[in-house]
Amino acid sequence: MIIIITGASHVGKTLLAQRMLEKYKYPYLSIDHLKMGLIRSGNTDLTPEDDNELTDYLWPIVQEIIKTAIENEQNLIVEGCYIPFNWRNAFDAQYLKSIRFICLAMTEEYIDSHFEEIKAHASDIETRMDDSCCTPDQLKQDNRRIIDGFKAAGERIDLITERYEDLILSFFQFL
């Protein structure tokens, strides 16, 4: 099984992937690690701020990693924000039946009432070197883009409305 976890920044994608790794022993691929490896090695002139271009650059690589894992009957968690809204177009039905898609997003109300908590957990799994761009307005904008984009593509969005932990626990029922 392939589990794709995506969503806006700060929604807990990496934390969910880490917890799934611990529970199910599925390895996970952080698209951020792939991104930084390609940037630091000089294999691209893109920067960490080039989100749209990075999605176009990274997705062809990530989709082929997913196909390879499926063909080899391997389990894999793929986690990151560089998943295009039309990601399903990269796979035929044979592949899609082996993929579980999770898209996390926070409501504006959740951001308003939990902003300090969101910031406090920003480096729970990976250290954020500079988190100064994380503001309530930026989080709302990022989450609205994710919600609108994936909803328009017909995808289910798992909204964080109250307790993050309650939503995360619900994902452990499907495997």
Side-chain angles (χ1 to χ4, degrees):
M1 173 180 288
I2 306 300
I3 302 169
I4 297 174
I5 303 171
T6 195
S9 179
H10 291 78
V11 296
K13 300 178 299 291
T14 307
L15 179 60
L16 176 57
Q18 180 67 35
R19 289 192 179 167
M20 286 184 164
L21 166 106
E22 291 166 0
K23 180 168 174 108
Y24 299 112
K25 310 300 185 227
Y26 288 11
Y28 80 83
L29 167 68
S30 166
I31 302 174
D32 278 342
H33 291 171
L34 177 61
K35 168 189 77 175
M36 292 310 297
L38 291 165
I39 290 171
R40 288 179 170 179
S41 66
N43 282 295
T44 181
D45 293 328
L46 295 172
T47 70
E49 289 77 35
D50 296 325
D51 283 343
N52 291 333
E53 295 87 354
L54 280 164
T55 299
D56 294 341
Y57 181 70
L58 294 169
W59 181 242
I61 299 166
V62 172
Q63 75 186 31
E64 295 308 320
I65 291 170
I66 291 170
K67 287 177 185 176
T68 301
I70 292 170
E71 291 161 359
N72 287 300
E73 299 180 12
Q74 296 169 315
N75 298 317
L76 180 64
I77 300 164
V78 177
E79 170 270 321
C81 61
Y82 303 104
I83 307 293
F85 300 132
N86 66 345
W87 70 273
R88 287 183 188 272
N89 294 344
F91 305 101
D92 63 27
Q94 182 76 11
Y95 291 108
L96 288 171
K97 70 181 183 181
S98 298
I99 299 173
R100 169 75 158 94
F101 179 77
I102 299 171
C103 180
L104 300 174
M106 296 180 277
T107 63
E108 290 188 5
E109 294 80 13
Y110 182 86
I111 294 167
D112 285 337
S113 61
H114 293 86
F115 181 70
E116 292 306 318
E117 183 181 348
I118 293 165
K119 288 283 283 190
H121 289 283
S123 293
D124 280 358
I125 302 296
E126 295 177 338
T127 302
R128 293 180 187 267
M129 300 296 193
D130 178 11
D131 205 26
S132 59
C133 66
C134 180
T135 65
D137 287 339
Q138 187 62 51
L139 284 178
K140 290 176 187 177
Q141 181 182 337
D142 291 348
N143 278 271
R144 176 56 42 210
R145 184 183 65 79
I146 291 296
I147 292 167
D148 292 346
F150 281 112
K151 188 175 182 181
E155 297 294 346
R156 175 183 161 174
I157 313 298
D158 291 292
L159 288 175
I160 302 166
T161 60
E162 294 180 29
R163 284 185 24 94
Y164 173 79
E165 286 296 323
D166 292 341
L167 179 63
I168 294 308
L169 289 174
S170 72
F171 294 117
F172 291 97
Q173 308 303 315
F174 74 88
L175 291 180

